[in-house]
């Protein structure tokens, strides 16, 4: 996004720019079935189940792992960077960092948008997107150079299912 610039007699005196982007962090979660008094619930506990659990905690509602994994949204944040030039001289930048919209970023030190080795891909009229896998235990970053947006979540599960399941 380009903010208004100031020109004097056709010469650009001051130019400003604003860049922003969204960060989505997806993690893997182990799926568990929820039981109330030994009976499997079809969804989340209702008001009655929660009230009985509140009266006698830890005895009414229980869970059991299914062995399945599912992607879950852990974090959404937005970054903003403003820059300005004066008479074509060096650009001055001001970064506001990330504004947290949802959750807590599990890997705040892993930044893709300022990394020159990260390719940003555009599909049709969509915004540019970059993707990477990051293992918080090993601190290994794997930048995805090619990916399909429609299968990205399924590919993520396939890539880490065995490693995640064995790690408790």
């Amino acid at each position: 996004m380009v903010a208004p610039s100031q020109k004097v007699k056709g010469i650009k005196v001051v130019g400003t720019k604003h860049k922003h982007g969204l960060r989505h962090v997806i993690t893997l979660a182990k799926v568990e079935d929820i039981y109330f008094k030994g009976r499997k619930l079809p969804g989340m506990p209702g008001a009655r189940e929660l009230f009985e659990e509140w009266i006698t905690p830890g005895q009414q509602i229980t869970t059991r792992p299914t062995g399945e994994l599912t992607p879950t949204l852990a974090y959404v944040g937005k970054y903003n960077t403003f820059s300005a030039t004066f008479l074509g001289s060096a650009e001055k930048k001001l970064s506001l960092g990330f504004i947290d919209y949802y959750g807590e970023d599990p890997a705040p030190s892993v930044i893709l948008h300022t990394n020159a080795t990260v390719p940003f891909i555009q599909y049709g009229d969509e915004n540019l997107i970059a993707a990477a896998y990051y293992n918080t235990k090993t601190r290994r970053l794997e930048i995805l150079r090619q990916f399909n947006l429609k299968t990205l979540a399924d590919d993520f599960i396939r890539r880490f299912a065995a490693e995640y399941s064995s790690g408790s």
Side-chain angles (χ1 to χ4, degrees):
M1 180 162 115
V2 177
S5 299
Q6 183 65 42
K7 288 185 178 183
V8 175
K9 296 184 181 183
I11 298 172
K12 190 175 189 179
V13 178
V14 177
T16 58
K17 293 180 189 175
H18 169 234
K19 292 182 183 180
H20 65 94
L22 286 176
R23 175 179 174 99
H24 295 216
V25 178
I26 311 270
T27 61
L28 288 179
K30 293 180 179 179
V31 177
E32 294 183 338
D33 286 332
I34 301 173
Y35 293 83
F36 178 71
K37 294 184 178 179
R39 180 181 48 89
K40 183 178 173 184
L41 295 177
M44 294 300 291
R48 182 179 75 94
E49 291 92 358
L50 290 173
F51 179 72
E52 286 191 40
E53 178 67 19
W54 181 70
I55 292 173
T56 53
Q59 298 176 23
Q60 310 299 320
I61 297 176
T62 57
T63 60
R64 291 184 202 139
T66 65
E68 296 176 52
L69 296 174
T70 186
T72 183
L73 183 64
Y75 175 78
V76 177
K78 179 180 178 182
Y79 69 88
N80 290 285
T81 303
F82 297 93
S83 59
T85 56
F86 181 71
L87 292 174
S89 66
E91 187 175 48
K92 301 293 182 195
K93 290 186 178 184
L94 171 65
S95 178
L96 298 181
F98 280 92
I99 299 169
D100 300 333
Y101 288 137
Y102 173 79
E104 187 175 326
D105 193 344
S109 63
V110 178
I111 304 295
L112 301 181
H113 71 276
T114 57
N115 187 335
T117 65
V118 175
F120 280 77
I121 300 170
Q122 186 171 18
Y123 294 97
D125 293 336
E126 298 290 324
N127 292 326
L128 292 170
I129 184 171
Y133 297 140
Y134 181 71
N135 186 324
T136 55
K137 292 178 183 175
T138 64
R139 298 188 187 276
R140 183 169 173 256
L141 176 66
E142 184 180 328
I143 297 168
L144 301 179
R145 305 226 173 266
Q146 294 180 347
F147 54 89
N148 182 336
L149 278 176
K150 294 178 182 175
T151 63
L152 194 57
D154 292 334
D155 295 342
F156 177 48
I157 291 174
R158 274 192 294 281
R159 169 70 174 77
F160 289 100
E163 184 178 333
Y164 189 77
S165 296
S166 66
S168 71

